[in-house]
Amino acid sequence: MRHPSPTSAPPSTPDQSVAHLTPRHWDRANRLLVRKALAEFAHERLLTPEPVGTDRYVVRSDDGTVEYRFTAQVLTLEHWQVDPDSITRHRNGRELPLDAVDFCTELRGTLGLSERVLPVYLEEITSTLAGAAYKLSRPPVPAAELARADFQAIETGMTEGHPCFVANNGRLGFGIRDYHRYAPEAGRPARLLWLAAHRDHATFTCAADLDYDTHMRRELGDETLARFAATLTGLGLDPADYLLIPVHPWQWWNRISVTFAGEVASRRLVCLGEGPDEHLAQQSIRTFFNITAPHRDYVKTALSVLNMGFLRGLSAAYMAATPAINDWLAKLIDNDDLLRSTGLTILRERAAIGYRHRQFEAATDRYSPYRKMLAALWRESPLPALEPGQRLATMASLLHTDRAGHALAAALITESGLPAEVWLRRYLDAYLVPLLHAFYAYDLAFMPHGENVILVLAGGRVERVIFKDIAEELVVMDPAVTLPAQVSRIQADIPEEMRLLSIFTDVFDCFFRHLGAVLAAEGVLSEEDFWRTVAACAIDYRDRVPHLADRFRRYDLFADEFALSCLNRLQLRNNQQMVDLADPSAALQLVGTLRNPLAAWAPPVRGGTG
């Protein structure tokens, strides 16, 4: 199995560490980020571009002294397709260079950036720019080549990050050396550190068909387990009193060794050293793919780095129920004929461990980042389930465009030999149908963004999809549904009028809006044909489940409009914790409505059977 390799050894001197920060790369990174800011802030109606001619617009600073002029097309779902090379910035008749930090400060009032949020947001913007400059310094990879690449080459080759968030690569806490070591785009293998945690403070849970000893032997091997045990006995400690926890190296050096110093001094935590396998960081930063033994599990680690509105820790309390939630969902899928027919599978989070620091727990509430500093979970690798001729790609790759502006999705369509509408329909049957059925049959919503979905490809065609990141993202939206006690954590009382936003916002607005624009820009498929195909898929699904007719009337997928839920507004309001985890729906920023692109193909209303 071929894996990506970094273009050079990690930088060894301070000046080499910032070699990617050149005027050329910085200027281009700023242009691309200002383009995204104009597009997404206009989409969220934070900005109201003023038309000044055919496809020409202007946005003015808060004080009216600075103008941003650009060419754009407004597409379906009020998607602003801004030409990055058309953007110019002017003050008093003089053209100025584009600068994303200046853009945010010049429009801080318009964007609602408070004095508390602004400096941290500007740091996130700067970090996002630095990451973009690094990516621009790498050799360009044509979309057609990346479309045929190895799973991990595609994972590390993604350049955009989240398609909606403007400040989407903040990673505050990483220094420049950390960036070169642990950023997914750096593509550098890392070895996880392992701690022994005293059983009085640690909780390990696993799937019903697994146990601790079996799991650790499979993940570490007898030789490493013996080495770790020898370290403990050498300190006069009994290995039977301890559980093993993998730790992100950054987390050890920057948090655990300092914040948990008392736990280390008392031998409640013992550092055992590196594990035997090399791993690659995934797009989610804190999750690692094992490249030494690719059929072993992913490892998701706590990482107290601020990125897109949250510190990316892992809750020790949440970890306890994680395997049970995954077992429950896997059984639900296995017992549902329609879900099985789509080929849907999940990457089960089969084991989890969390460490509870008693002093911090006594001093904080359950949502505090201090309770999320030391935990880990193991998620199945997708490789063992592949059939001959199949390969994998993150769904985020469907939105990827190369340096020349060519789309990876278009390259896959070309490789498949299928007409674009046929290719799209196969993808929708694999991806959209399971989401619709989960919602209409079970009041169940995933968080199905590009980084949480893996495509199983064969000859460029989407054969099926795999959902991951289950326990932290899954929600049953009806409090009346009876769930097993171990699974009850995923239940939330979501207001009726907001439930279908799990499709309208998470799928239509935050992914299909971008995919339809990418395919239209490439000349592969018109927007009309794109949304007609989505509608046809939804109608065919509805016709397969006549017993859910009342649910379709109650939650109308073809309604004329739906609420515009704004992600950037969440981050601009509070970039330390975007959402109150105790009441996630209450935090939503709803600003008017969007015209539903499926409304034009609304099917006739049918009678129901209850």
Side-chain angles (χ1 to χ4, degrees):
M1 186 175 187
R2 180 175 56 85
H3 298 292
S5 58
T7 56
S8 61
S12 57
T13 64
D15 60 318
Q16 290 175 354
S17 70
V18 293
H20 56 288
L21 298 179
T22 65
R24 182 167 64 90
H25 295 326
W26 195 251
D27 288 348
R28 188 62 183 170
N30 272 281
R31 180 168 293 278
L32 294 175
L33 195 57
V34 170
R35 180 215 66 79
K36 186 171 187 177
L38 287 167
E40 291 305 308
F41 292 158
H43 172 71
E44 295 192 10
R45 301 171 184 170
L46 284 157
L47 306 178
T48 306
E50 177 187 333
V52 289
T54 305
D55 295 336
R56 290 287 298 171
Y57 296 88
V58 64
V59 166
R60 293 181 176 84
S61 63
D62 290 344
D63 64 7
T65 64
V66 179
E67 290 186 351
Y68 290 86
R69 304 169 188 169
F70 57 95
T71 300
Q73 292 180 294
V74 185
L75 306 180
T76 304
L77 289 174
E78 296 182 23
H79 179 77
W80 285 76
Q81 190 88 325
V82 177
D83 176 5
D85 295 321
S86 72
I87 306 169
T88 56
R89 175 185 174 215
H90 304 266
R91 180 190 288 124
N92 299 327
R94 183 167 62 93
E95 185 170 344
L96 303 173
L98 296 181
D99 187 296
V101 171
D102 284 346
F103 179 90
C104 293
T105 56
E106 289 163 355
L107 289 114
R108 60 181 294 184
T110 300
L111 299 178
L113 282 162
S114 67
E115 290 185 4
R116 180 181 62 85
V117 171
L118 178 61
V120 178
Y121 191 75
L122 296 183
E123 189 177 2
E124 292 181 281
I125 288 288
T126 301
S127 181
T128 300
L129 289 168
Y134 177 83
K135 295 165 192 173
L136 289 167
S137 74
R138 302 288 297 272
V141 180
E145 180 181 331
L146 192 61
R148 297 188 298 270
D150 170 84
F151 177 38
Q152 288 303 294
I154 294 174
E155 185 76 20
T156 60
M158 297 298 95
T159 56
E160 181 50 48
H162 196 289
C164 300
F165 284 103
V166 175
N168 64 10
N169 277 287
R171 302 168 185 170
L172 301 189
F174 272 4
I176 190 62
R177 286 188 297 180
D178 303 315
Y179 179 88
H180 285 290
R181 289 170 179 165
Y182 308 125
E185 57 268 24
R188 288 195 169 87
R191 291 179 187 264
L192 300 179
L193 291 173
W194 285 78
L195 305 184
H198 199 280
R199 288 176 180 266
D200 288 347
H201 297 261
T203 301
F204 175 87
T205 54
C206 61
D209 58 349
L210 194 60
D211 61 75
Y212 176 80
D213 290 336
T214 300
H215 173 69
M216 287 303 172
R217 279 198 304 273
R218 188 178 66 187
E219 289 301 305
L220 287 171
D222 290 336
E223 182 179 338
T224 300
L225 289 173
R227 171 164 60 91
F228 288 169
T231 299
L232 291 170
T233 56
L235 295 170
L237 304 171
D238 185 352
D241 291 338
Y242 290 84
L243 298 171
L244 302 179
I245 301 184
V247 179
H248 193 296
W250 185 94
Q251 191 76 352
W252 167 257
W253 288 105
N254 293 275
R255 301 308 306 236
I256 303 304
S257 60
V258 178
T259 309
F260 283 38
E263 308 301 286
V264 176
S266 64
R267 300 286 197 247
R268 288 190 287 270
L269 289 175
V270 180
C271 184
L272 303 172
E274 292 182 343
D277 295 346
E278 292 192 322
H279 295 74
L280 278 178
Q282 303 296 279
Q283 286 288 309
S284 59
I285 310 173
R286 56 182 167 167
T287 301
F288 287 96
F289 181 86
N290 192 320
I291 60 172
T292 300
H295 286 63
R296 285 181 173 169
D297 290 347
Y298 287 92
V299 184
K300 185 173 182 177
T301 59
L303 186 63
S304 301
V305 167
L306 183 68
N307 196 53
M308 284 199 305
F310 290 103
L311 280 170
R312 297 291 161 171
L314 279 182
S315 166
Y318 269 36
M319 290 304 98
T322 288
I325 292 168
N326 280 260
D327 283 351
W328 173 83
L329 180 61
K331 184 177 180 181
L332 183 150
I333 293 171
D334 287 344
N335 290 337
D336 189 290
D337 292 339
L338 191 147
L339 289 176
R340 282 204 320 276
S341 74
T342 67
L344 172 70
T345 57
I346 62 170
L347 294 184
R348 287 183 298 168
E349 295 151 353
R350 291 177 42 79
I353 189 166
Y355 185 86
R356 307 185 77 153
H357 191 300
R358 301 278 168 80
Q359 293 166 318
F360 281 120
E361 289 205 354
T364 61
D365 66 27
R366 62 188 175 125
Y367 301 110
S368 169
Y370 285 94
R371 295 192 182 197
K372 302 177 183 181
M373 287 190 183
L374 186 50
L377 66 80
W378 289 267
R379 177 188 296 144
E380 291 174 315
S381 167
L383 294 181
L386 288 185
E387 297 176 2
Q390 292 182 337
R391 56 194 179 83
L392 303 170
T394 173
M395 195 177 78
S397 66
L398 296 185
L399 305 185
H400 176 80
T401 55
D402 64 18
R403 230 55 88 64
H406 298 306
L408 187 145
L412 288 174
I413 293 171
T414 299
E415 182 186 350
S416 74
L418 298 172
E421 286 181 71
V422 175
W423 184 95
L424 177 63
R425 179 57 191 267
R426 289 180 64 121
Y427 159 68
L428 294 171
D429 287 343
Y431 169 67
L432 180 60
V433 169
L435 295 174
L436 293 177
H437 192 61
F439 176 83
Y440 283 105
Y442 301 106
D443 259 311
L444 187 66
F446 297 85
M447 184 60 72
H449 55 66
E451 192 277 320
N452 270 356
V453 181
I454 296 173
L455 307 176
V456 178
L457 302 168
R461 303 179 305 275
V462 177
E463 297 285 292
R464 59 186 181 88
V465 304
I466 306 168
F467 289 166
K468 64 182 183 69
D469 215 356
I470 300 301
E472 283 199 293
E473 306 281 16
L474 197 68
V475 61
V476 173
M477 295 180 283
D478 186 349
V481 172
T482 302
L483 295 176
Q486 285 182 296
V487 178
S488 60
R489 192 194 80 212
I490 67 173
Q491 200 158 24
D493 188 0
I494 306 298
E496 283 271 325
E497 67 276 11
M498 292 187 181
R499 292 182 185 178
L500 197 49
L501 290 181
S502 65
I503 301 295
F504 285 146
T505 297
D506 298 341
V507 181
F508 287 10
D509 192 34
C510 292
F511 199 81
F512 286 175
R513 169 169 65 93
H514 298 276
L515 180 58
V518 163
L519 294 177
E522 190 83 349
V524 170
L525 192 66
S526 71
E527 283 201 290
E528 181 179 2
D529 290 339
F530 178 91
W531 288 104
R532 183 193 303 117
T533 306
V534 174
C537 176
I539 291 169
D540 288 349
Y541 164 70
R542 184 206 64 165
D543 290 345
R544 292 175 65 183
V545 288
H547 62 287
L548 298 177
D550 285 347
R551 295 274 296 169
F552 273 90
R553 282 194 295 272
R554 183 174 173 183
Y555 303 108
D556 185 4
L557 194 66
F558 295 85
D560 289 341
E561 56 189 23
F562 59 83
L564 170 59
S565 182
C566 301
L567 300 187
N568 283 284
R569 284 177 180 262
L570 293 173
Q571 189 179 14
L572 292 164
R573 180 183 63 183
N574 185 347
N575 52 0
Q576 310 283 328
Q577 182 172 311
M578 289 194 306
V579 175
D580 178 1
L581 299 178
D583 189 7
S585 64
L588 296 182
Q589 291 280 291
L590 304 178
V591 182
T593 61
L594 291 171
R595 173 74 181 170
N596 183 4
L598 264 56
W601 291 281
V605 176
R606 294 171 46 171
T609 58

